[in-house]
Amino acid sequence: MGAVPKRKISKARRDRRRTHLKLTVPNLVPCEECGEMKRPHYMCPVCGMYKGIQVRPQKVE
Ligand SMILES: [Zn+2]
């Protein structure tokens, strides 16, 4: 048997611990090229541009 807790964690203590477990919505800023919402400091997933340069090769130029 592995490590087993000696005492049950109370509901209050358990729930207090879980106050830090939450999902956060990522920040979104409009892409300068196509206007789609994207995450800041990330390449745009729609047009593949970042800081005005083509980062991802496009199928249609
Ligand atoms: Zn874009």
Side-chain angles (χ1 to χ4, degrees), residues 10-60:
S10 69
K11 288 178 216 162
R13 196 172 150 191
R14 176 201 66 195
D15 293 350
R16 231 182 296 134
R17 180 176 67 231
R18 291 181 185 172
T19 60
H20 298 281
L21 299 174
K22 51 187 173 270
L23 292 173
T24 56
V25 179
N27 284 343
L28 291 174
V29 297
C31 171
E32 291 176 14
E33 291 296 320
C34 66
E36 275 296 318
M37 297 307 277
K38 68 171 194 68
R39 295 180 69 181
H41 316 293
Y42 278 73
M43 178 199 78
C44 174
V46 178
C47 62
M49 297 288 280
Y50 182 69
K51 295 277 181 191
I53 60 162
Q54 193 76 44
V55 178
R56 187 184 60 196
Q58 294 290 85
K59 286 168 191 159
V60 183

